[in-house]
Amino acid sequence: GVRRRGGGAVDADQIIWTAATGARIGVDLGAAGGPDDGQVLTDECLRVVDKAYGKAYRNVFALGDVAAVKGRESRPNAQVAMAQAGCVAVNIGADERGERPVAFGMVEL
């Protein structure tokens, strides 16, 4: 679930958030903040990384403009976000089946 800034919580098995740009969504990202203001650090599989421990959460993902993918520079555009969405979908399924996630990869045009 997610703790709301004003108090209370939202219980959920999965939460998918879409927004224009940045991680300013009223949710405390805490240890998941990225290298750039408004971004969330992810590993190569687009799983959110806890900065304090340097490990990725098993089932928490970020993509698009909000994701700062570790070891990779990508332009914040729809082409990249759509490719990342496919990777996240595959990795959610892999997590559900107890399989290993796949790394995000694409060639930008």
Side-chain angles (χ1 to χ4, degrees), residues 17-104:
W17 177 271
T18 61
T21 303
R24 295 165 189 85
I25 59 176
V27 175
D28 181 11
L29 294 171
D36 187 19
D37 184 36
Q39 288 188 303
V40 176
L41 182 63
T42 72
D43 69 359
E44 65 281 354
C45 300
L46 302 174
R47 298 176 298 182
V48 173
V49 173
D50 184 314
K51 290 190 306 184
Y53 299 102
K55 296 174 76 175
Y57 294 101
R58 176 184 58 82
N59 59 355
V60 179
F61 301 88
L63 61 137
D65 297 355
V66 74
V69 184
K70 192 174 184 179
R72 182 181 179 104
E73 287 191 36
S74 295
R75 288 179 275 170
N77 61 38
Q79 177 190 12
V80 174
M82 292 296 291
Q84 289 175 336
C87 180
V88 168
V90 166
N91 286 337
I92 289 171
D95 182 65
E96 293 280 322
R97 293 183 301 274
E99 299 171 0
R100 297 181 73 156
V102 298
F104 170 68

